[in-house]
Amino acid sequence: MTLNPRSFLYAVDDKAVVTITLNRPERLNALTFEVYTELRDTFRALANEPDVRAIIVTGSGRAFCSGGDVEDIIGALLGKPIKELHEFTILTCDLILAMRRCPWPIVGALNGTVAGAGAVIAAACDIRVAAESAKIGFLFTKVGLSGADMGAAWLLPRIVGYGRASELLLTGDFIDAKRAHEIGLYNRVVPQDRVLAEARGLAEQLARGPSGALATTKQALEGEATLDLQTALAYEAEVQARLMQGSNFQEAYDAFRAKRDPKFI
């Protein structure tokens, strides 16, 4: 499948890793209607792309993403009828849903400031590698909107807990990378010039892994949040038994016996 988005950079390497780079550095990679639409469509398409095994999302310049563009989105939405506003908010939510439904692991390479919608996109990644400069803020209440935007009130408590999520979403305040790492919002914090390399190393490690098992793990982490223990155990027993019939389970055994690295599919 050939994807040619116009509003951001898109590349696939020989390790089956896709890199999506938000590319409006002069606007701190602020989102436009086109960027939202193309990101949604890209993640939807990647969900059905068997030659992709992991995805990196990053930004160019000194910011990861500063949220919706003040003029191109916020200014453009003022005075619009409710139907058009609702169409827009559905679009933003559909992007997050596409990221979470995409079976491939998504690594956020947060190269700088992470704000507003950019913070929710980061939260929708499976793993976040951040620069020391990557302060993060869910700014929605600062502009008179609900902190529960684009799934933030669903995602964030599952990452940092209810109390910390409440503080971040209600105040809209920035926290620095050190604090974000302390509360578990960032998985790793590294020097600025190491962000992409660290994220790429992690993505390549995941890309070498058993794709079906990783996709099942991602699905379980999300789906089991709403299950009681007995139902969750029954689900895990069923999907694990199915994976035991797969070629990757056999390959892991054969590789162990042969004292070599497994070659998963």
Side-chain angles (χ1 to χ4, degrees):
M1 180 184 299
T2 301
L3 296 174
N4 295 298
R6 300 183 304 172
S7 60
F8 51 83
L9 303 180
Y10 178 93
V12 187
D13 64 20
D14 59 1
K15 304 294 176 59
V17 175
V18 166
T19 300
I20 292 171
T21 306
L22 302 175
N23 193 38
R24 302 181 72 221
E26 74 287 354
R27 302 288 290 173
L28 301 182
N29 299 319
L31 302 168
T32 65
F33 296 112
E34 183 182 26
V35 177
Y36 269 119
T37 301
E38 288 200 315
L39 282 173
R40 178 202 61 190
D41 293 347
T42 296
F43 278 105
R44 283 177 173 175
L46 287 174
N48 300 304
E49 179 49 70
D51 295 328
V52 171
R53 301 288 292 276
I55 301 165
I56 297 170
V57 183
T58 191
S60 58
R62 60 190 179 92
F64 171 70
C65 176
S66 59
D69 191 283
V70 173
E71 297 302 331
D72 291 352
I73 285 188
I74 298 175
L77 291 174
L78 292 174
K80 293 288 187 182
I82 188 64
K83 183 178 182 294
E84 292 184 31
L85 295 173
H86 195 200
E87 288 172 351
F88 169 69
T89 54
I90 289 173
L91 167 64
T92 67
C93 289
D94 281 348
L95 164 57
I96 300 304
L97 187 63
M99 293 178 69
R100 297 310 310 151
R101 291 291 181 268
C102 184
W104 318 123
I106 303 172
V107 180
L110 313 180
N111 54 296
T113 299
V114 188
V120 189
I121 291 171
C125 295
D126 297 294
I127 302 173
R128 286 157 292 282
V129 177
E132 293 167 335
S133 63
K135 64 180 182 178
I136 184 168
F138 296 80
L139 307 180
F140 307 108
T141 59
K142 299 286 192 184
V143 295
L145 298 177
S146 168
D149 190 47
M150 296 173 62
W154 192 96
L155 292 163
L156 202 55
R158 287 163 171 78
I159 300 171
V160 302
Y162 184 89
R164 291 179 176 127
S166 296
E167 182 178 2
L168 288 168
L169 295 183
L170 289 170
T171 67
D173 289 343
F174 276 106
I175 57 173
D176 62 22
K178 180 176 181 293
R179 179 58 178 161
H181 185 249
E182 288 173 349
I183 65 175
L185 183 50
Y186 291 168
N187 297 86
R188 305 179 187 181
V189 175
V190 298
Q192 188 83 31
D193 60 357
R194 289 290 304 159
V195 174
L196 193 54
E198 186 83 6
R200 186 167 301 283
L202 183 55
E204 290 178 359
Q205 175 189 338
L206 293 167
R208 292 191 297 270
S211 58
L214 297 184
T216 299
T217 302
K218 179 171 177 175
Q219 182 180 28
L221 283 166
E222 180 174 313
E224 291 188 37
T226 58
L227 302 181
D228 61 70
L229 176 59
Q230 185 173 355
T231 305
L233 289 170
Y235 166 77
E236 290 193 5
E238 179 182 351
V239 296
Q240 197 75 305
R242 292 182 186 277
L243 287 170
M244 287 175 178
Q245 292 184 308
S247 59
N248 282 329
F249 191 55
Q250 179 70 53
E251 169 61 12
Y253 175 76
D254 293 343
F256 177 80
R257 293 289 302 273
K259 298 182 179 180
R260 61 173 175 79
D261 291 333
K263 296 180 180 179
F264 293 123
I265 58 173

